[in-house]
Amino acid sequence: DSGVTQTPKHLITATGQRVTLRCSPRSGDLSVYWYQQSLDQGLQFLIQYYNGEERAKGNILERFSAQQFPDLHSELNLSSLELGDSALYFCASSVDRGGEETQYFGPGTRLLVL
Amino acid sequence: AQSVTQLDSHVSVSEGTPVLLRCNYSSSYSPSLFWYVQHPNKGLQLLLKYTSAATLVKGINGFEAEFKKSETSFHLTKPSAHMSDAAEYFCVVIRTYKYIFGTGTRLKVLA
């Protein structure tokens, strides 16, 4: 158990809908990262927040957004969902700003868009 | 730009035989490299990391990896495979503070 929690574990929704994925980092970790894992794209970095501020951006679609709250938990919002958004979404956390730090991964949220 | 290539998408070994999972990196300088493991329906777990301290890095569960600059490789090895090692393994390099994942190698362990 990494200490990173993600809810829900599974999510089934329809195209065009909006969902929110939640992540709680390990106690004391200030950075939260979001990743998408799909069969065709592999594991891709989406976005990083550090202590409430966006720090780095990856291949995140404009339909997706994230935020980190004062208690350091983070939410990833996915809107206008398409079939291709079906994937496993991971959250990870690290102690500081990132770089060479180890990231600790949550168990993921499996999203299925029908 | 830094990237990693995992040369085998699938590897099968018999229980008790050595494991070799190959990873080559592309970087203009000495990179930080990681190996993560993903068991079915689980998150990713760090096996080991290289950050230019020692070229032979020992990780958890008997895994180790050797950083070879001349070959730009960071292959993951284990002397004797266990059934519980069956999983997907990812080589990771850091690029501008971001994790860049390889495409993964699925390890199958045969009884």
Side-chain angles (χ1 to χ4, degrees):
Chain A
D1 184 1
S2 67
V4 178
T5 60
Q6 290 187 246
T7 55
K9 285 185 99 169
H10 302 275
L11 203 45
I12 302 174
T13 188
T15 54
Q17 295 298 304
R18 173 190 166 96
V19 297
T20 297
L21 312 183
R22 184 188 166 103
C23 168
S24 291
R26 292 186 324 154
S27 177
D29 284 0
L30 297 177
S31 274
V32 169
Y33 311 78
W34 286 99
Y35 293 87
Q36 181 193 59
Q37 185 179 31
S38 61
L39 283 174
D40 52 343
Q41 299 284 335
L43 256 164
Q44 290 203 91
F45 167 72
L46 295 178
I47 197 164
Q48 178 199 357
Y49 276 80
Y50 170 73
N51 205 19
E53 301 287 330
E54 183 184 304
R55 172 153 173 80
K57 222 166 183 174
N59 299 323
I60 189 166
L61 299 171
E62 284 193 15
R63 301 182 285 108
F64 296 2
S65 64
Q67 55 184 324
Q68 187 179 27
F69 295 86
D71 67 352
L72 301 176
H73 89 272
S74 177
E75 292 180 357
L76 179 68
N77 299 296
L78 315 176
S79 61
S80 303
L81 285 166
E82 301 175 359
L83 296 178
D85 297 327
S86 295
L88 193 49
Y89 291 85
F90 284 110
C91 163
S93 72
S94 70
V95 170
D96 206 341
R97 290 178 177 82
E100 292 182 0
E101 292 183 325
T102 298
Q103 295 181 22
Y104 296 89
F105 285 77
T109 292
R110 188 171 294 278
L111 174 66
L112 181 59
V113 182
L114 299 174
Chain B
Q2 294 91 312
S3 67
V4 287
T5 301
Q6 291 184 245
L7 298 157
D8 306 296
S9 58
H10 292 82
V11 169
S12 289
V13 300
S14 296
E15 192 176 21
T17 64
V19 176
L20 170 64
L21 305 183
R22 298 183 293 165
C23 172
N24 284 92
Y25 68 90
S26 165
S27 177
S28 54
Y29 55 87
S30 190
S32 292
L33 293 158
F34 302 73
W35 275 100
Y36 277 82
V37 61
Q38 183 180 22
H39 286 95
N41 300 314
K42 300 274 187 178
L44 292 104
Q45 181 184 20
L46 177 71
L47 279 177
L48 49 83
K49 72 185 216 184
Y50 167 76
T51 53
S52 73
T55 55
L56 183 63
V57 183
K58 292 190 184 298
I60 62 170
N61 301 335
F63 283 95
E64 62 182 39
E66 186 171 7
F67 176 77
K68 290 188 178 179
K69 190 173 181 179
S70 59
E71 299 176 9
T72 61
S73 69
F74 189 57
H75 301 336
L76 182 71
T77 60
K78 182 172 180 177
S80 175
H82 293 163
M83 297 298 289
S84 60
D85 294 328
E88 188 147 22
Y89 293 78
F90 292 93
C91 184
V92 180
V93 69
I94 291 177
R95 182 172 75 206
T96 53
Y97 305 107
K98 300 171 196 171
Y99 271 27
I100 305 299
F101 283 83
T103 49
T105 298
R106 190 168 295 278
L107 176 66
K108 189 173 181 180
V109 182
L110 307 170

